[in-house]
Amino acid sequence: QVQLVESGGGLVQAGGSLRLSCAASGLTFSTYAMGWFRQAPGKEREFVAGINRSGGITYYADSVKGRFTISRDNAKNTAHLQMNSLKPEDTAVYYCAASSSGLWYDKNRYDYWGQGTQVTVSS
């Protein structure tokens, strides 16, 4: 079955960096666009960044542009989210997701989801 497993979350001070990874199995990874979403307590899950099948097109939420970088390695079935200059408002559970229909901001367009990894940024 399809599995997406996130790792790399943790506690970091404001201004610090973290690199999240998403390891995919059970699907033909190169045929899926990948997205990162986050959900803070009491808030809806929101789009953070996305990357198309080949890695040539990326989208970012305005709140993370210039600070976060999404990438993928189709040979290793992994996607990454490099997060720099972290802010307390970045605190959330971060999820990776896979979409067979293309690259979307809309979370409802994604077919598979990981279990999430907690990112906490202290001030």
Side-chain angles (χ1 to χ4, degrees), residues 37-47 92-93 95 107-108:
F37 292 76
R38 66 187 181 188
Q39 188 166 17
K43 295 189 176 182
E44 287 199 7
R45 193 170 297 189
E46 64 175 4
F47 175 85
V93 178
Y95 299 89
K107 60 182 180 291
N108 297 310

Side-chain angles (χ1 to χ4, degrees), residues 17-86:
S17 298
L18 283 174
R19 185 177 190 239
L20 305 184
S21 295
C22 174
S25 60
L27 75 171
T28 305
F29 185 71
S30 61
T31 66
Y32 285 78
M34 298 298 295
W36 285 96
F37 292 76
R38 66 187 181 188
Q39 188 166 17
K43 295 189 176 182
E44 287 199 7
R45 193 170 297 189
E46 64 175 4
F47 175 85
V48 174
I51 189 166
N52 74 334
R53 297 177 179 97
S54 67
I57 298 172
T58 56
Y59 291 168
Y60 296 94
D62 287 343
S63 58
V64 306
K65 275 181 187 174
R67 300 188 299 121
F68 290 11
T69 303
I70 188 172
S71 61
R72 67 187 296 158
D73 185 339
N74 286 346
K76 295 183 178 179
N77 289 0
T78 57
H80 303 281
L81 185 68
Q82 178 67 44
M83 305 187 297
N84 298 330
S85 302
L86 283 160

